[in-house]
Amino acid sequence: TATVPVGTKVEFPLRSEGRKGWPVFIVGDTYCLPGIPRLVDILLPLLPKGPGPRPSAKIRFEGYETQGARAMEAVAVQFPKLAFGSYPPTQMESRWVSMTIRGESRQMIEEATQSLLHELSVDQLNAERVLTEKANDS
């Protein structure tokens, strides 16, 4: 017995010999596989290829996460179709806070990034864009 979110689909991918494989739960665009490494190795090649990573942008500033909250919230209201994240430093000696913007539209992400950089400068935070690998353009 498994408890899954409403709307979850269950599929049994066909194995190379034509038999049904083990169950795969699909929640939105996320596939949940059995936790046994041997089964994961068999199932991964049977899954459909997805669209790849969504477009994103990353900004960082030196300071405390709370210092960037106002700017991020202001920009998030302007761009409700985008997802925003703020992450404090992961190393004790660092004070760099990372902020991310993700969505489907590269153009909308670029506009939101410029707006966020502006809002952070209004709060006297010296922010910079972090170059990342180019994601799929939309």
Short mmCIF file of all heavy atoms in Angstrom, two decimals, residues 22-84:
data_model
loop_
_atom_site.label_atom_id
_atom_site.label_comp_id
_atom_site.label_asym_id
_atom_site.label_seq_id
_atom_site.Cartn_x
_atom_site.Cartn_y
_atom_site.Cartn_z
N TRP A 22 8.29 -2.68 -13.08
CA TRP A 22 7.84 -2.33 -11.75
C TRP A 22 7.08 -1.01 -11.81
O TRP A 22 7.25 -0.22 -12.73
CB TRP A 22 9.05 -2.24 -10.82
CG TRP A 22 9.70 -3.56 -10.65
CD1 TRP A 22 9.42 -4.48 -9.69
CD2 TRP A 22 10.69 -4.15 -11.48
NE1 TRP A 22 10.19 -5.60 -9.86
CE2 TRP A 22 10.99 -5.42 -10.96
CE3 TRP A 22 11.37 -3.75 -12.62
CZ2 TRP A 22 11.92 -6.27 -11.51
CZ3 TRP A 22 12.30 -4.59 -13.19
CH2 TRP A 22 12.57 -5.84 -12.63
N PRO A 23 6.25 -0.73 -10.81
CA PRO A 23 5.45 0.50 -10.86
C PRO A 23 6.31 1.76 -10.75
O PRO A 23 7.29 1.79 -10.01
CB PRO A 23 4.51 0.37 -9.65
CG PRO A 23 5.21 -0.57 -8.73
CD PRO A 23 6.01 -1.50 -9.60
N VAL A 24 5.90 2.76 -11.49
CA VAL A 24 6.52 4.08 -11.43
C VAL A 24 5.38 5.06 -11.15
O VAL A 24 4.38 5.08 -11.86
CB VAL A 24 7.21 4.43 -12.77
CG1 VAL A 24 7.72 5.85 -12.75
CG2 VAL A 24 8.33 3.46 -13.07
N PHE A 25 5.52 5.84 -10.10
CA PHE A 25 4.53 6.85 -9.76
C PHE A 25 4.94 8.15 -10.42
O PHE A 25 6.10 8.55 -10.35
CB PHE A 25 4.44 7.05 -8.24
CG PHE A 25 3.96 5.82 -7.53
CD1 PHE A 25 4.85 4.91 -6.98
CD2 PHE A 25 2.60 5.58 -7.40
CE1 PHE A 25 4.40 3.78 -6.32
CE2 PHE A 25 2.14 4.44 -6.74
CZ PHE A 25 3.05 3.54 -6.21
N ILE A 26 3.99 8.82 -11.07
CA ILE A 26 4.29 10.08 -11.75
C ILE A 26 3.45 11.17 -11.11
O ILE A 26 2.22 11.12 -11.11
CB ILE A 26 3.99 9.97 -13.26
CG1 ILE A 26 4.76 8.79 -13.86
CG2 ILE A 26 4.33 11.28 -13.96
CD1 ILE A 26 4.32 8.42 -15.25
N VAL A 27 4.14 12.15 -10.54
CA VAL A 27 3.49 13.29 -9.89
C VAL A 27 3.94 14.53 -10.65
O VAL A 27 5.08 14.96 -10.53
CB VAL A 27 3.90 13.40 -8.41
CG1 VAL A 27 3.16 14.54 -7.73
CG2 VAL A 27 3.68 12.09 -7.68
N GLY A 28 3.03 15.06 -11.49
CA GLY A 28 3.41 16.21 -12.33
C GLY A 28 4.49 15.78 -13.30
O GLY A 28 4.29 14.86 -14.10
N ASP A 29 5.67 16.40 -13.21
CA ASP A 29 6.79 16.02 -14.07
C ASP A 29 7.87 15.27 -13.30
O ASP A 29 9.02 15.21 -13.71
CB ASP A 29 7.37 17.25 -14.78
CG ASP A 29 7.96 18.27 -13.81
OD1 ASP A 29 7.82 18.09 -12.59
OD2 ASP A 29 8.54 19.27 -14.27
N THR A 30 7.49 14.68 -12.16
CA THR A 30 8.44 13.95 -11.32
C THR A 30 8.09 12.47 -11.31
O THR A 30 6.94 12.09 -11.11
CB THR A 30 8.39 14.50 -9.87
OG1 THR A 30 8.68 15.89 -9.90
CG2 THR A 30 9.39 13.78 -8.99
N TYR A 31 9.11 11.64 -11.54
CA TYR A 31 8.95 10.20 -11.53
C TYR A 31 9.50 9.65 -10.22
O TYR A 31 10.63 9.96 -9.84
CB TYR A 31 9.71 9.57 -12.71
CG TYR A 31 9.10 9.87 -14.04
CD1 TYR A 31 9.30 11.08 -14.67
CD2 TYR A 31 8.29 8.93 -14.67
CE1 TYR A 31 8.72 11.36 -15.90
CE2 TYR A 31 7.71 9.20 -15.90
CZ TYR A 31 7.93 10.41 -16.51
OH TYR A 31 7.34 10.67 -17.72
N CYS A 32 8.70 8.85 -9.54
CA CYS A 32 9.11 8.22 -8.29
C CYS A 32 9.36 6.73 -8.57
O CYS A 32 8.43 6.01 -8.94
CB CYS A 32 8.05 8.39 -7.22
SG CYS A 32 7.63 10.11 -6.90
N LEU A 33 10.59 6.30 -8.41
CA LEU A 33 10.99 4.94 -8.74
C LEU A 33 11.19 4.12 -7.46
O LEU A 33 11.40 4.68 -6.39
CB LEU A 33 12.31 4.96 -9.53
CG LEU A 33 12.32 5.82 -10.78
CD1 LEU A 33 13.71 5.86 -11.38
CD2 LEU A 33 11.33 5.32 -11.80
N PRO A 34 11.18 2.79 -7.59
CA PRO A 34 11.51 1.96 -6.42
C PRO A 34 12.91 2.31 -5.92
O PRO A 34 13.77 2.72 -6.70
CB PRO A 34 11.48 0.53 -6.98
CG PRO A 34 10.78 0.61 -8.28
CD PRO A 34 10.94 2.00 -8.78
N GLY A 35 13.13 2.15 -4.63
CA GLY A 35 14.41 2.53 -4.05
C GLY A 35 15.51 1.49 -4.17
O GLY A 35 16.58 1.64 -3.60
N ILE A 36 15.29 0.45 -4.92
CA ILE A 36 16.30 -0.60 -5.08
C ILE A 36 17.18 -0.25 -6.28
O ILE A 36 16.68 -0.15 -7.41
CB ILE A 36 15.61 -1.97 -5.27
CG1 ILE A 36 14.70 -2.26 -4.08
CG2 ILE A 36 16.66 -3.08 -5.46
CD1 ILE A 36 13.75 -3.42 -4.29
N PRO A 37 18.47 -0.02 -6.08
CA PRO A 37 19.34 0.42 -7.18
C PRO A 37 19.27 -0.46 -8.43
O PRO A 37 19.26 0.06 -9.55
CB PRO A 37 20.74 0.38 -6.56
CG PRO A 37 20.50 0.59 -5.10
CD PRO A 37 19.20 -0.11 -4.81
N ARG A 38 19.17 -1.75 -8.27
CA ARG A 38 19.10 -2.66 -9.42
C ARG A 38 17.86 -2.35 -10.26
O ARG A 38 17.91 -2.32 -11.49
CB ARG A 38 19.09 -4.11 -8.94
CG ARG A 38 19.02 -5.15 -10.05
CD ARG A 38 18.99 -6.57 -9.47
NE ARG A 38 17.83 -6.84 -8.64
CZ ARG A 38 16.62 -7.16 -9.12
NH1 ARG A 38 16.42 -7.24 -10.41
NH2 ARG A 38 15.62 -7.40 -8.31
N LEU A 39 16.73 -2.10 -9.61
CA LEU A 39 15.49 -1.78 -10.33
C LEU A 39 15.55 -0.40 -10.98
O LEU A 39 15.06 -0.20 -12.09
CB LEU A 39 14.28 -1.87 -9.39
CG LEU A 39 14.01 -3.23 -8.76
CD1 LEU A 39 12.77 -3.16 -7.89
CD2 LEU A 39 13.88 -4.31 -9.82
N VAL A 40 16.16 0.56 -10.30
CA VAL A 40 16.32 1.89 -10.88
C VAL A 40 17.13 1.81 -12.16
O VAL A 40 16.79 2.42 -13.17
CB VAL A 40 16.96 2.86 -9.86
CG1 VAL A 40 17.33 4.18 -10.52
CG2 VAL A 40 16.03 3.09 -8.68
N ASP A 41 18.20 1.02 -12.16
CA ASP A 41 19.03 0.85 -13.36
C ASP A 41 18.22 0.29 -14.52
O ASP A 41 18.44 0.64 -15.68
CB ASP A 41 20.22 -0.07 -13.07
CG ASP A 41 21.27 0.59 -12.21
OD1 ASP A 41 21.28 1.83 -12.11
OD2 ASP A 41 22.10 -0.14 -11.63
N ILE A 42 17.29 -0.60 -14.24
CA ILE A 42 16.45 -1.20 -15.29
C ILE A 42 15.40 -0.19 -15.77
O ILE A 42 15.13 -0.07 -16.96
CB ILE A 42 15.76 -2.48 -14.77
CG1 ILE A 42 16.80 -3.57 -14.51
CG2 ILE A 42 14.70 -2.97 -15.76
CD1 ILE A 42 16.26 -4.78 -13.75
N LEU A 43 14.81 0.57 -14.85
CA LEU A 43 13.70 1.46 -15.18
C LEU A 43 14.12 2.76 -15.87
O LEU A 43 13.40 3.26 -16.74
CB LEU A 43 12.90 1.80 -13.92
CG LEU A 43 11.99 0.70 -13.40
CD1 LEU A 43 11.45 1.06 -12.02
CD2 LEU A 43 10.85 0.44 -14.36
N LEU A 44 15.25 3.33 -15.50
CA LEU A 44 15.65 4.63 -16.06
C LEU A 44 15.62 4.67 -17.59
O LEU A 44 15.07 5.61 -18.17
CB LEU A 44 17.01 5.07 -15.53
CG LEU A 44 16.98 5.74 -14.17
CD1 LEU A 44 18.39 6.08 -13.71
CD2 LEU A 44 16.11 6.97 -14.15
N PRO A 45 16.20 3.69 -18.28
CA PRO A 45 16.16 3.75 -19.74
C PRO A 45 14.76 3.60 -20.34
O PRO A 45 14.55 3.94 -21.50
CB PRO A 45 17.05 2.59 -20.19
CG PRO A 45 17.75 2.09 -18.98
CD PRO A 45 17.00 2.58 -17.79
N LEU A 46 13.81 3.11 -19.56
CA LEU A 46 12.45 2.91 -20.06
C LEU A 46 11.58 4.16 -19.94
O LEU A 46 10.51 4.21 -20.53
CB LEU A 46 11.78 1.76 -19.29
CG LEU A 46 12.51 0.41 -19.29
CD1 LEU A 46 11.75 -0.59 -18.43
CD2 LEU A 46 12.68 -0.10 -20.70
N LEU A 47 12.03 5.16 -19.18
CA LEU A 47 11.23 6.36 -18.97
C LEU A 47 11.34 7.29 -20.18
O LEU A 47 12.37 7.35 -20.85
CB LEU A 47 11.71 7.09 -17.72
CG LEU A 47 11.60 6.31 -16.42
CD1 LEU A 47 12.16 7.14 -15.28
CD2 LEU A 47 10.18 5.90 -16.15
N PRO A 48 10.26 8.05 -20.46
CA PRO A 48 10.33 8.99 -21.58
C PRO A 48 11.32 10.10 -21.28
O PRO A 48 11.54 10.47 -20.12
CB PRO A 48 8.91 9.53 -21.68
CG PRO A 48 8.30 9.28 -20.35
CD PRO A 48 8.99 8.08 -19.77
N LYS A 49 11.93 10.62 -22.33
CA LYS A 49 12.85 11.74 -22.18
C LYS A 49 12.05 13.00 -21.91
O LYS A 49 11.08 13.29 -22.61
CB LYS A 49 13.71 11.92 -23.44
CG LYS A 49 14.55 10.71 -23.79
CD LYS A 49 15.65 10.53 -22.78
CE LYS A 49 16.51 9.33 -23.15
NZ LYS A 49 16.76 8.42 -22.08
N GLY A 50 12.42 13.75 -20.92
CA GLY A 50 11.72 14.98 -20.58
C GLY A 50 12.28 16.16 -21.36
O GLY A 50 13.21 16.02 -22.16
N PRO A 51 11.73 17.34 -21.10
CA PRO A 51 12.18 18.53 -21.83
C PRO A 51 13.52 19.06 -21.34
O PRO A 51 14.08 19.95 -21.94
CB PRO A 51 11.06 19.54 -21.53
CG PRO A 51 10.52 19.11 -20.21
CD PRO A 51 10.63 17.62 -20.21
N GLY A 52 14.04 18.49 -20.27
CA GLY A 52 15.31 18.97 -19.74
C GLY A 52 15.08 20.05 -18.70
O GLY A 52 13.94 20.34 -18.33
N PRO A 53 16.15 20.65 -18.23
CA PRO A 53 16.01 21.64 -17.17
C PRO A 53 15.26 22.89 -17.65
O PRO A 53 15.37 23.27 -18.81
CB PRO A 53 17.45 21.97 -16.78
CG PRO A 53 18.27 21.55 -17.93
CD PRO A 53 17.54 20.45 -18.62
N ARG A 54 14.52 23.48 -16.75
CA ARG A 54 13.82 24.72 -17.08
C ARG A 54 14.81 25.88 -17.03
O ARG A 54 15.80 25.82 -16.31
CB ARG A 54 12.69 24.96 -16.08
CG ARG A 54 11.61 23.94 -16.18
CD ARG A 54 10.42 24.20 -15.31
NE ARG A 54 10.68 25.02 -14.13
CZ ARG A 54 9.74 25.45 -13.32
NH1 ARG A 54 8.51 25.16 -13.54
NH2 ARG A 54 10.04 26.17 -12.27
N PRO A 55 14.53 26.94 -17.77
CA PRO A 55 15.40 28.11 -17.72
C PRO A 55 15.46 28.66 -16.30
O PRO A 55 14.49 28.59 -15.54
CB PRO A 55 14.70 29.11 -18.65
CG PRO A 55 13.83 28.30 -19.54
CD PRO A 55 13.43 27.11 -18.72
N SER A 56 16.62 29.20 -15.94
CA SER A 56 16.78 29.76 -14.61
C SER A 56 17.85 30.84 -14.63
O SER A 56 18.62 30.96 -15.57
CB SER A 56 17.15 28.68 -13.60
OG SER A 56 18.42 28.14 -13.90
N ALA A 57 17.89 31.61 -13.56
CA ALA A 57 18.93 32.62 -13.36
C ALA A 57 19.32 32.56 -11.89
O ALA A 57 18.52 32.18 -11.03
CB ALA A 57 18.42 34.00 -13.72
N LYS A 58 20.55 32.94 -11.61
CA LYS A 58 21.04 32.94 -10.23
C LYS A 58 21.74 34.27 -9.96
O LYS A 58 22.51 34.76 -10.78
CB LYS A 58 22.02 31.78 -10.03
CG LYS A 58 22.49 31.61 -8.60
CD LYS A 58 23.35 30.37 -8.47
CE LYS A 58 23.86 30.17 -7.07
NZ LYS A 58 24.71 28.97 -6.97
N ILE A 59 21.43 34.83 -8.81
CA ILE A 59 22.01 36.08 -8.34
C ILE A 59 22.59 35.82 -6.97
O ILE A 59 22.09 34.97 -6.22
CB ILE A 59 20.92 37.18 -8.25
CG1 ILE A 59 20.39 37.52 -9.63
CG2 ILE A 59 21.43 38.42 -7.53
CD1 ILE A 59 19.18 38.43 -9.61
N ARG A 60 23.65 36.55 -6.62
CA ARG A 60 24.16 36.42 -5.26
C ARG A 60 24.56 37.79 -4.73
O ARG A 60 24.85 38.71 -5.50
CB ARG A 60 25.34 35.44 -5.20
CG ARG A 60 26.61 35.95 -5.85
CD ARG A 60 27.70 34.93 -5.72
NE ARG A 60 28.98 35.56 -6.09
CZ ARG A 60 30.15 35.10 -5.75
NH1 ARG A 60 30.24 33.98 -5.05
NH2 ARG A 60 31.25 35.73 -6.10
N PHE A 61 24.51 37.89 -3.41
CA PHE A 61 24.96 39.11 -2.76
C PHE A 61 25.59 38.74 -1.43
O PHE A 61 25.28 37.70 -0.85
CB PHE A 61 23.82 40.13 -2.57
CG PHE A 61 22.75 39.70 -1.61
CD1 PHE A 61 22.85 39.97 -0.25
CD2 PHE A 61 21.63 39.03 -2.06
CE1 PHE A 61 21.86 39.58 0.63
CE2 PHE A 61 20.63 38.63 -1.18
CZ PHE A 61 20.75 38.90 0.17
N GLU A 62 26.47 39.58 -0.95
CA GLU A 62 27.11 39.31 0.33
C GLU A 62 26.30 39.99 1.42
O GLU A 62 26.04 41.19 1.35
CB GLU A 62 28.55 39.82 0.33
CG GLU A 62 29.34 39.31 1.51
CD GLU A 62 30.83 39.60 1.38
OE1 GLU A 62 31.23 40.32 0.46
OE2 GLU A 62 31.57 39.09 2.23
N GLY A 63 25.86 39.20 2.37
CA GLY A 63 25.06 39.74 3.46
C GLY A 63 24.25 38.63 4.11
O GLY A 63 24.65 37.46 4.09
N TYR A 64 23.12 39.01 4.66
CA TYR A 64 22.23 38.06 5.31
C TYR A 64 21.00 37.84 4.43
O TYR A 64 20.54 38.76 3.76
CB TYR A 64 21.81 38.56 6.69
CG TYR A 64 22.98 38.70 7.63
CD1 TYR A 64 23.56 39.93 7.87
CD2 TYR A 64 23.52 37.57 8.25
CE1 TYR A 64 24.64 40.07 8.72
CE2 TYR A 64 24.61 37.70 9.10
CZ TYR A 64 25.17 38.93 9.33
OH TYR A 64 26.25 39.04 10.16
N GLU A 65 20.46 36.64 4.48
CA GLU A 65 19.32 36.29 3.63
C GLU A 65 18.16 37.27 3.84
O GLU A 65 17.49 37.67 2.89
CB GLU A 65 18.88 34.86 3.93
CG GLU A 65 17.81 34.35 3.01
CD GLU A 65 17.46 32.90 3.29
OE1 GLU A 65 17.73 32.40 4.40
OE2 GLU A 65 16.89 32.28 2.38
N THR A 66 17.93 37.68 5.08
CA THR A 66 16.81 38.58 5.38
C THR A 66 16.96 39.93 4.69
O THR A 66 15.97 40.60 4.43
CB THR A 66 16.66 38.79 6.89
OG1 THR A 66 17.92 39.25 7.42
CG2 THR A 66 16.24 37.50 7.58
N GLN A 67 18.20 40.34 4.38
CA GLN A 67 18.41 41.63 3.73
C GLN A 67 17.85 41.65 2.30
O GLN A 67 17.51 42.71 1.80
CB GLN A 67 19.91 41.97 3.70
CG GLN A 67 20.47 42.27 5.08
CD GLN A 67 21.98 42.47 5.00
OE1 GLN A 67 22.73 41.52 4.80
NE2 GLN A 67 22.39 43.72 5.13
N GLY A 68 17.75 40.51 1.67
CA GLY A 68 17.25 40.46 0.30
C GLY A 68 15.78 40.11 0.20
O GLY A 68 15.21 40.09 -0.89
N ALA A 69 15.13 39.86 1.33
CA ALA A 69 13.74 39.40 1.32
C ALA A 69 12.79 40.42 0.70
O ALA A 69 11.92 40.06 -0.10
CB ALA A 69 13.29 39.04 2.73
N ARG A 70 12.90 41.68 1.06
CA ARG A 70 12.00 42.70 0.53
C ARG A 70 12.07 42.77 -0.98
O ARG A 70 11.06 42.75 -1.68
CB ARG A 70 12.30 44.08 1.13
CG ARG A 70 11.25 45.12 0.68
CD ARG A 70 11.82 46.51 0.45
NE ARG A 70 12.87 46.59 -0.52
CZ ARG A 70 12.70 46.74 -1.84
NH1 ARG A 70 11.49 46.76 -2.37
NH2 ARG A 70 13.73 46.85 -2.65
N ALA A 71 13.29 42.79 -1.51
CA ALA A 71 13.49 42.88 -2.96
C ALA A 71 12.89 41.67 -3.67
O ALA A 71 12.19 41.80 -4.67
CB ALA A 71 14.97 43.02 -3.27
N MET A 72 13.17 40.48 -3.15
CA MET A 72 12.67 39.27 -3.79
C MET A 72 11.14 39.22 -3.75
O MET A 72 10.50 38.88 -4.74
CB MET A 72 13.26 38.02 -3.15
CG MET A 72 12.89 36.76 -3.92
SD MET A 72 13.68 35.28 -3.29
CE MET A 72 12.84 35.11 -1.75
N GLU A 73 10.55 39.57 -2.62
CA GLU A 73 9.09 39.56 -2.52
C GLU A 73 8.47 40.57 -3.48
O GLU A 73 7.44 40.28 -4.10
CB GLU A 73 8.67 39.85 -1.08
CG GLU A 73 8.96 38.69 -0.15
CD GLU A 73 8.72 39.01 1.31
OE1 GLU A 73 8.25 40.14 1.63
OE2 GLU A 73 9.00 38.14 2.15
N ALA A 74 9.08 41.75 -3.63
CA ALA A 74 8.55 42.76 -4.54
C ALA A 74 8.57 42.27 -5.99
O ALA A 74 7.61 42.45 -6.75
CB ALA A 74 9.35 44.06 -4.41
N VAL A 75 9.65 41.60 -6.37
CA VAL A 75 9.77 41.11 -7.75
C VAL A 75 8.86 39.90 -7.96
O VAL A 75 8.25 39.75 -9.02
CB VAL A 75 11.24 40.79 -8.08
CG1 VAL A 75 11.36 40.18 -9.47
CG2 VAL A 75 12.08 42.07 -8.00
N ALA A 76 8.73 39.06 -6.96
CA ALA A 76 7.86 37.88 -7.08
C ALA A 76 6.41 38.29 -7.33
O ALA A 76 5.70 37.62 -8.07
CB ALA A 76 7.97 37.02 -5.83
N VAL A 77 5.98 39.40 -6.75
CA VAL A 77 4.62 39.89 -6.98
C VAL A 77 4.46 40.33 -8.45
O VAL A 77 3.42 40.11 -9.05
CB VAL A 77 4.30 41.06 -6.02
CG1 VAL A 77 3.03 41.79 -6.42
CG2 VAL A 77 4.18 40.54 -4.60
N GLN A 78 5.50 40.91 -9.03
CA GLN A 78 5.46 41.36 -10.43
C GLN A 78 5.47 40.19 -11.41
O GLN A 78 5.00 40.32 -12.53
CB GLN A 78 6.67 42.25 -10.75
CG GLN A 78 6.74 43.53 -9.99
CD GLN A 78 8.08 44.23 -10.25
OE1 GLN A 78 8.75 43.97 -11.24
NE2 GLN A 78 8.48 45.10 -9.35
N PHE A 79 6.04 39.05 -11.00
CA PHE A 79 6.21 37.90 -11.89
C PHE A 79 5.64 36.64 -11.22
O PHE A 79 6.39 35.73 -10.84
CB PHE A 79 7.69 37.70 -12.23
CG PHE A 79 8.30 38.84 -12.98
CD1 PHE A 79 8.91 39.90 -12.32
CD2 PHE A 79 8.26 38.87 -14.37
CE1 PHE A 79 9.47 40.96 -13.02
CE2 PHE A 79 8.81 39.92 -15.08
CZ PHE A 79 9.41 40.97 -14.40
N PRO A 80 4.32 36.54 -11.10
CA PRO A 80 3.72 35.41 -10.37
C PRO A 80 3.89 34.05 -11.05
O PRO A 80 3.73 33.02 -10.40
CB PRO A 80 2.24 35.79 -10.28
CG PRO A 80 2.02 36.75 -11.40
CD PRO A 80 3.31 37.48 -11.58
N LYS A 81 4.24 34.02 -12.34
CA LYS A 81 4.41 32.74 -13.03
C LYS A 81 5.81 32.14 -12.82
O LYS A 81 6.08 31.03 -13.26
CB LYS A 81 4.16 32.91 -14.53
CG LYS A 81 2.72 33.19 -14.85
CD LYS A 81 2.49 33.25 -16.34
CE LYS A 81 1.02 33.47 -16.64
NZ LYS A 81 0.74 33.49 -18.06
N LEU A 82 6.68 32.89 -12.15
CA LEU A 82 8.04 32.41 -11.91
C LEU A 82 8.18 31.92 -10.48
O LEU A 82 7.44 32.33 -9.59
CB LEU A 82 9.05 33.54 -12.17
CG LEU A 82 9.06 34.11 -13.59
CD1 LEU A 82 10.09 35.23 -13.69
CD2 LEU A 82 9.35 33.02 -14.61
N ALA A 83 9.15 31.03 -10.27
CA ALA A 83 9.46 30.51 -8.93
C ALA A 83 10.74 31.18 -8.43
O ALA A 83 11.74 31.24 -9.16
CB ALA A 83 9.63 29.00 -8.98
N PHE A 84 10.71 31.67 -7.21
CA PHE A 84 11.85 32.36 -6.63
C PHE A 84 12.35 31.57 -5.42
O PHE A 84 11.56 30.99 -4.68
CB PHE A 84 11.45 33.76 -6.16
CG PHE A 84 11.12 34.69 -7.29
CD1 PHE A 84 9.88 34.64 -7.91
CD2 PHE A 84 12.05 35.60 -7.76
CE1 PHE A 84 9.56 35.48 -8.96
CE2 PHE A 84 11.76 36.44 -8.81
CZ PHE A 84 10.51 36.39 -9.41
#
